[in-house]
Amino acid sequence: MREKIIAASVELFEQNGFSETSIQDIVDALGVTKGTFYYYFKSKEELLMDIHLRYIEGLLSEQARIMNDEQRSVREKLYAIVYMLIHNVDRQGRQARIFFREMKHLSEEHLQKVKEKRDLFRYQLQALIEEGMKSGELRRDLSPSIVTLTVLGAANWSYHWFRPDGELTDAEVAEQMVTILLDGMSGLRVS
Amino acid sequence: MREKIIAASVELFEQNGFSETSIQDIVDALGVTKGTFYYYFKSKEELLMDIHLRYIEGLLSEQARIMNDEQRSVREKLYAIVYMLIHNVDRQGRQARIFFREMKHLSEEHLQKVKEKRDLFRYQLQALIEEGMKSGELRRDLSPSIVTLTVLGAANWSYHWFRPDGELTDAEVAEQMVTILLDGMSGLRVS
């Protein structure tokens, strides 16, 4: 039931917005009573934090798995992380959109919790980039934090436009994106 | 007064969200009556569309100015467009955040209007990239639409993180971002 409440809420929040969705709307969609809702969640805000935390924790554990794989080069790890972000938008587009759009509805304390995890994701990506700079796999004349934010921006933005039924698959989009980010768009070197 | 209403609303919408801000809140912040509001805007929704349209129209006219400058290479035009997007976030961060966050509150008809202009911005950027591919300034083995969305994503994402009082200026961030996008992050070629 907990899962069902989350799924129904995600759908309603995306369609109508967090503020416009009442607990009554959520329980009506499921054909249960408010008591059922309150058995699992203290409030609508707690449910929102739960959605946020699950989303970011899923990303963090997948990122850790990728980063700890000693067999992969920095380039391969970057590809895997970008692929994960785009693939995740594909699989979990709704959570992603709610994550970015409804953040302001979290209490200060809960927002802090979510922000810490988001920051952790970014720091870990930056650590990977710094590792690549040290080893010479990545050039050293760029700011590691700007590189990190450029990669994150390119990949995260896909939640605005990526369609699983589009011309290219998530793997193809990730491949092209990582090619751009690592090798550049300039024709001077490849022509 | 029209400008003042817009400025006060942008501030309130950002702080408290569109749904949570009433027309009463807006006129209270300005010390005027509701009649004054309705003299300039039919509804809160119309005001929101006005904010959206001004934001995107400002970007479009600046983009046209950059693209029509025959003196600039594709690389220089790309730099100018990325700089504009980051600089705009700096100058107009609030409008940018409201633009992305509160879009769902527009009526279908108004949303269509705004979407057409956003699409136009993207198509024009893509036309520039295709021009660069044709002339050989950009490599040809990438999908023009993915290149376009990667550039837009990297630059637009800055509204989540760019701080005018941060370590790097908007011009420096744009310079590094365009270097990454055009020349790549890979160390193999520059070492």
Side-chain angles (χ1 to χ4, degrees):
Chain A
M1 181 49 72
R2 190 184 173 82
E3 293 306 311
K4 278 189 187 167
I5 293 174
I6 289 176
S9 310
V10 163
E11 193 159 330
L12 288 166
F13 291 167
E14 199 203 0
Q15 225 163 54
N16 309 321
F18 176 80
S19 305
E20 290 79 358
T21 303
S22 65
I23 293 176
Q24 193 63 54
D25 295 333
I26 297 167
V27 299
D28 283 352
L30 291 165
V32 298
T33 63
K34 275 195 180 179
T36 308
F37 180 94
Y38 286 114
Y39 179 78
Y40 293 99
F41 300 100
K42 267 190 221 141
S43 63
K44 201 174 66 160
E45 198 265 334
E46 197 190 81
L47 165 66
L48 182 64
M49 187 197 58
D50 208 75
I51 293 170
H52 276 57
L53 278 183
R54 287 158 68 102
Y55 179 68
I56 189 73
E57 279 166 1
L59 291 178
L60 277 168
S61 77
E62 182 71 4
Q63 186 190 43
R65 201 185 57 71
I66 293 165
M67 291 194 39
N68 293 332
D69 181 349
E70 306 272 331
Q71 304 296 312
R72 300 195 210 198
S73 65
V74 169
R75 184 187 191 105
E76 286 165 341
K77 288 179 183 175
L78 276 174
Y79 169 78
I81 289 172
V82 167
Y83 172 73
M84 166 182 77
L85 289 171
I86 295 173
H87 182 62
N88 228 49
V89 162
D90 172 3
R91 267 192 319 147
Q92 302 190 274
R94 280 173 173 155
Q95 277 98 320
R97 277 185 290 272
I98 290 170
F99 181 74
F100 292 114
R101 203 181 60 193
E102 308 289 3
M103 220 177 304
K104 69 176 191 304
H105 292 295
L106 289 176
S107 70
E108 194 49 51
E109 185 198 337
H110 286 166
L111 186 62
Q112 220 38 52
K113 250 191 184 165
V114 171
K115 270 193 178 161
E116 272 164 28
K117 304 223 174 204
R118 288 183 63 205
D119 287 347
L120 185 60
F121 189 89
R122 178 161 58 83
Y123 293 144
Q124 285 180 179
L125 179 57
Q126 185 166 332
L128 174 66
I129 282 159
E130 283 166 353
E131 183 195 317
M133 287 179 173
K134 246 183 224 154
S135 73
E137 214 184 319
L138 301 183
R139 54 196 279 185
R140 288 166 200 178
D141 60 334
L142 296 166
S143 150
S145 67
I146 300 298
V147 171
T148 305
L149 291 162
T150 301
V151 173
L152 272 182
N156 278 337
W157 198 251
S158 65
Y159 87 92
H160 277 307
W161 57 267
F162 181 70
R163 297 283 169 272
D165 56 353
E167 214 178 304
L168 297 175
T169 65
D170 46 9
E172 287 165 333
V173 169
E175 180 59 46
Q176 293 224 6
M177 207 175 263
V178 171
T179 300
I180 295 165
L181 293 167
L182 279 160
D183 303 335
M185 290 149 40
S186 173
L188 301 173
R189 282 162 166 166
V190 292
S191 60
Chain B
M1 180 49 70
R2 190 183 173 82
E3 292 308 309
K4 279 188 186 166
I5 293 173
I6 290 177
S9 310
V10 163
E11 193 159 331
L12 288 166
F13 291 166
E14 199 203 0
Q15 226 162 55
N16 308 322
F18 176 79
S19 305
E20 290 80 358
T21 303
S22 66
I23 292 175
Q24 193 63 53
D25 294 333
I26 297 167
V27 299
D28 283 352
L30 290 165
V32 298
T33 63
K34 277 195 179 179
T36 308
F37 180 94
Y38 286 114
Y39 179 78
Y40 293 99
F41 301 99
K42 268 189 221 142
S43 64
K44 203 174 64 157
E45 198 265 335
E46 198 191 79
L47 165 65
L48 182 64
M49 187 196 59
D50 209 74
I51 293 170
H52 277 58
L53 278 183
R54 286 158 67 103
Y55 178 69
I56 189 72
E57 279 166 0
L59 291 178
L60 277 170
S61 77
E62 183 70 3
Q63 186 191 43
R65 200 185 57 71
I66 292 166
M67 292 195 39
N68 294 331
D69 182 349
E70 307 271 331
Q71 305 296 310
R72 300 196 211 199
S73 66
V74 170
R75 184 186 192 106
E76 287 165 340
K77 287 179 183 175
L78 277 174
Y79 169 78
I81 289 172
V82 168
Y83 172 73
M84 165 180 79
L85 289 171
I86 296 173
H87 182 62
N88 227 49
V89 162
D90 172 4
R91 266 191 320 147
Q92 302 190 274
R94 280 173 172 155
Q95 276 99 322
R97 278 185 290 271
I98 290 170
F99 180 75
F100 292 113
R101 204 181 59 192
E102 308 289 5
M103 219 178 303
K104 70 176 190 302
H105 292 295
L106 289 176
S107 70
E108 194 49 50
E109 185 198 337
H110 286 166
L111 186 62
Q112 219 38 51
K113 251 191 184 165
V114 171
K115 270 193 177 162
E116 273 165 27
K117 304 223 174 204
R118 288 183 63 204
D119 287 346
L120 185 59
F121 189 89
R122 177 161 58 83
Y123 293 144
Q124 285 179 180
L125 180 57
Q126 185 166 331
L128 174 66
I129 282 159
E130 283 168 352
E131 182 195 317
M133 287 178 172
K134 246 182 224 156
S135 73
E137 212 183 320
L138 302 183
R139 55 195 278 185
R140 290 167 199 177
D141 60 335
L142 298 165
S143 149
S145 67
I146 300 298
V147 170
T148 304
L149 291 162
T150 301
V151 173
L152 272 182
N156 278 338
W157 198 250
S158 64
Y159 87 93
H160 278 307
W161 57 266
F162 181 71
R163 297 284 168 273
D165 56 354
E167 215 179 302
L168 297 174
T169 65
D170 46 8
E172 287 165 334
V173 169
E175 180 59 45
Q176 294 224 5
M177 206 175 264
V178 170
T179 300
I180 294 165
L181 293 167
L182 280 160
D183 303 334
M185 289 149 39
S186 174
L188 302 173
R189 281 159 168 168
V190 291
S191 60

